[in-house]
Amino acid sequence: MKNMLAAFISRVLRRVAQKSARRVLVASRNSSNDATFEIEKCDLYLLEEGPPVTTVLTRAEGLKYYRMMLTVRRMELKADQLYKQKFIRGFCHLCDGQEACCVGLEAGINASDHVITSYRAHGMCYTRGLSVRSILTELTGRRGGCAKGKGGSMHMYTKNFYGGNGIVGAQGPLAEAFNMAALWKLPCVFICENNLYAMGTSTERAAASTDYYKRGNFIPGLKVDGMDVLCVREATKFAADYCRSGKGPILMELQTYRYHGHSMSDPGVSYRTREEIQEVRSKRDPIMILQDRMVNSKLATVGELKEIGTEVKKEIDDAAQFATSDPEPRLEELGHHVYSSDSSFEVRGANPWIKFKSVS
């Protein structure tokens, strides 16, 4: 059974790799302001038409997406390091490998749109506007974190973003259940980031039907190449326009892949092979796909992208330095921000004789 599963996954990865491999890097001087690219056609459910199969990428957009994806990648690798150094405690779920999802989603919606996520949310925190410093500092539980050091990896928030829900599946009801959204034709895009595994079980072993984009039953769906930021962007634009037009909710399945294990206690290689992970890294990596496109179409040079890498590394290192030196929240602040607008009230401490004041 295990050999059959490994063979199946290998075939899937090879098929996607053949469609998206763009591996040749050519150093050249920039001479283009935009380029048109073919993108993978989305599978459709209860839809007569879907997103386009070609899209235009401008130089400015490409550089922006590249910087954002590289920042998320290196931020997650730094979080991995800080966790192993015991600066980060508790749960920590990393999203490296899935950068095209958060960057592509943000590129396809408006800043005023509301986003609710599950716990693997550091990338979406960043694309929604939180700084690397505020994210890493939240992970280390310090005052300068986006939730004042009291939320950690699973509970990060910013304007129009409600992220890191620590209960598996709880983000669904928070974003309105399928039935209610369909009945009331709510403008809601449901997203399944399918990285092929649950905690440690492959989708093939866990589900009789792995077509998650059809799971809405009465809700239209899209299956999207989640390793291609342009494909995610165009699918998200399509889905958002569909909802805004008053047609009701839509479901998107983003086929992606996580490089790390489920959490920091999971090495990620007991239920999949190192060779499988390396094959994705070498043939389907979302950052490399975008890099190859930009260089081959002369939207950017290898040197320009390396310079961005140097700048991102410095930003991450500076943020990590702050995150490990910023003071922790004071004990008397533990009861703060329980409610958003209520007047202050007393919160009991570890024993009945200690009282803290809650401030909204």
Side-chain angles (χ1 to χ4, degrees), residues 39-250:
I39 55 177
E40 185 69 19
K41 183 179 180 180
C42 296
D43 291 341
L44 308 180
Y45 177 65
L46 298 181
L47 291 167
E48 294 183 357
E49 60 179 1
V53 293
T54 62
T55 186
V56 175
L57 177 69
T58 67
R59 168 177 160 82
E61 290 171 339
L63 293 174
K64 177 182 178 181
Y65 301 160
Y66 181 81
R67 180 183 292 271
M68 294 178 77
M69 287 201 291
L70 192 60
T71 299
V72 173
R73 172 72 56 84
R74 293 192 172 175
M75 178 177 71
E76 294 294 70
L77 294 179
K78 179 60 71 172
D80 173 77
Q81 179 185 359
L82 293 175
Y83 193 97
K84 291 170 180 174
Q85 294 172 340
K86 299 189 183 304
F87 285 109
I88 297 175
R89 302 297 183 98
F91 294 103
C92 185
H93 304 85
L94 305 180
C95 68
D96 49 316
Q98 302 181 197
E99 295 86 358
C101 294
C102 58
V103 174
L105 286 169
E106 187 63 33
I109 60 176
N110 301 327
S112 58
D113 291 329
H114 296 265
V115 175
I116 301 173
T117 73
S118 60
Y119 46 77
R120 203 178 304 279
H122 304 161
M124 187 60 77
C125 293
Y126 175 72
T127 58
R128 282 270 83 186
L130 289 172
S131 68
V132 175
R133 173 182 284 198
S134 71
I135 294 171
L136 288 181
T137 306
E138 187 60 38
L139 290 177
T140 58
R142 310 301 175 101
R143 280 192 216 170
C146 58
K148 310 299 182 185
K150 295 182 288 185
S153 176
M154 286 187 167
H155 302 282
M156 296 189 181
Y157 303 93
T158 189
K159 185 177 181 181
N160 298 333
F161 175 73
Y162 319 92
N165 198 299
I167 303 173
V168 176
Q171 72 277 11
L174 288 175
E176 297 293 347
F178 282 178
N179 184 59
M180 293 172 65
L183 279 174
W184 297 343
K185 291 191 177 299
L186 300 180
C188 183
V189 180
F190 293 97
I191 297 169
C192 168
E193 289 183 275
N194 179 9
N195 58 29
L196 302 185
Y197 294 93
M199 292 179 66
T201 306
S202 71
T203 55
E204 294 298 319
R205 291 179 60 200
S209 171
T210 57
D211 289 334
Y212 296 105
Y213 69 108
K214 298 179 180 179
R215 291 290 187 92
N217 192 9
F218 37 77
I219 296 177
L222 298 168
K223 181 188 285 186
V224 184
D225 180 0
M227 301 300 273
D228 182 352
V229 67
L230 299 184
C231 194
V232 176
R233 181 187 72 176
E234 294 307 311
T236 303
K237 287 180 178 178
F238 174 88
D241 289 343
Y242 180 94
C243 289
R244 295 187 211 282
S245 68
K247 296 178 181 178
I250 192 169

Side-chain angles (χ1 to χ4, degrees), residues 219-342:
I219 296 177
L222 298 168
K223 181 188 285 186
V224 184
D225 180 0
M227 301 300 273
D228 182 352
V229 67
L230 299 184
C231 194
V232 176
R233 181 187 72 176
E234 294 307 311
T236 303
K237 287 180 178 178
F238 174 88
D241 289 343
Y242 180 94
C243 289
R244 295 187 211 282
S245 68
K247 296 178 181 178
I250 192 169
L251 172 62
M252 289 172 54
E253 176 189 346
L254 308 183
Q255 291 197 311
T256 184
Y257 196 85
R258 57 171 163 83
Y259 292 159
H260 266 84
H262 168 71
S263 64
M264 299 306 296
S265 61
D266 171 22
V269 292
S270 60
Y271 47 85
R272 58 183 181 176
T273 64
R274 296 182 187 276
E275 290 75 20
E276 177 188 309
I277 302 171
Q278 185 55 41
E279 184 175 8
V280 178
R281 284 183 177 275
S282 63
K283 297 180 179 179
R284 294 184 59 212
D285 185 83
I287 297 176
M288 291 302 298
I289 289 174
L290 179 61
Q291 176 176 308
D292 291 355
R293 277 177 166 159
M294 294 184 66
V295 172
N296 294 336
S297 62
K298 299 183 180 180
L299 289 178
T301 66
V302 172
E304 287 176 311
L305 300 182
K306 284 184 176 179
E307 185 176 346
I308 290 176
T310 300
E311 294 169 358
V312 168
K313 182 179 184 302
K314 184 179 187 307
E315 179 185 8
I316 300 296
D317 289 343
D318 290 347
Q321 175 62 35
F322 180 84
T324 55
S325 58
D326 193 45
E328 296 179 352
R330 295 192 300 269
L331 184 62
E332 56 269 25
E333 296 177 358
L334 291 180
H336 289 189
H337 312 120
V338 176
Y339 298 102
S340 62
S341 59
D342 283 23

